[in-house]
Amino acid sequence: MVRRPFPEFPLAGQSVFLVTIVVDDYDRAKAFYCGCLGFECLEDKDLPDAKRWLVVKPGSGEGAALLLAQADGEAELAAIGNQTGGRVGFFLKTDDFARDHAAFVAAGVTFLEAPRYEPYGTVAVFRDLYGNRWDLLEPAG
């Protein structure tokens, strides 16, 4: 049985704010996420050992940002593009599906399907620069 550390208190004030995506090159990843997808670069700082703290985020202010981490070693190189085992692992919410879908297509983003309408909203799966699968999603209602 899993026990909560403080069962009588809800864990208020917590949220996921940063998710790592392993990439092959910092500049190439930054160009894709900020150029093609229109994300904002929140931080880009040099770290020791030729590493960088590179954080990007969709412009809305909601949700988690991405830490773009350049692969270091065989295991990390093997994870590039397959961080979720081939499943959709990332969900990009939009308030205007048609606008963003058209902009992504114009920027060269590869969609794996035509837009579809589900009870939860309008959605289409696309691949990022590395092959990770994303949903572009405009929630219903």
Side-chain angles (χ1 to χ4, degrees):
M1 172 171 22
V2 176
R3 300 181 106 176
R4 290 181 58 175
F6 306 101
E8 65 276 4
F9 301 108
L11 297 177
Q14 296 181 350
S15 64
V16 174
F17 77 102
L18 199 57
V19 174
T20 298
I21 292 187
V22 181
V23 301
D24 66 346
D25 178 83
Y26 291 116
D27 292 324
R28 187 174 160 198
K30 183 178 179 181
F32 176 79
Y33 287 100
C34 295
C36 293
L37 298 185
F39 286 22
E40 177 184 354
C41 181
L42 300 180
E43 293 184 74
D44 188 353
K45 297 179 183 168
D46 290 328
L47 299 174
D49 300 323
K51 293 187 180 188
R52 283 162 55 184
W53 184 257
L54 178 53
V55 179
V56 300
K57 184 175 184 181
S60 71
E62 268 186 48
L66 301 177
L67 174 66
L68 303 178
Q70 188 168 295
D72 182 18
E74 296 288 326
E76 291 180 18
L77 284 168
I80 293 174
N82 194 29
Q83 296 187 150
T84 59
R87 293 189 61 124
V88 171
F90 306 97
F91 300 81
L92 185 59
K93 184 171 92 173
T94 179
D95 62 354
D96 188 333
F97 182 91
R99 175 199 66 212
D100 292 347
H101 183 267
F104 287 4
V105 169
V109 174
T110 301
F111 278 85
L112 303 178
E113 63 182 9
R116 56 190 160 87
Y117 306 95
E118 300 289 348
Y120 55 85
T122 305
V123 63
V125 177
F126 69 92
R127 284 194 310 238
D128 69 12
L129 178 63
Y130 302 101
N132 294 305
R133 291 172 181 246
W134 290 69
D135 269 359
L136 177 62
L137 172 65
E138 181 179 353

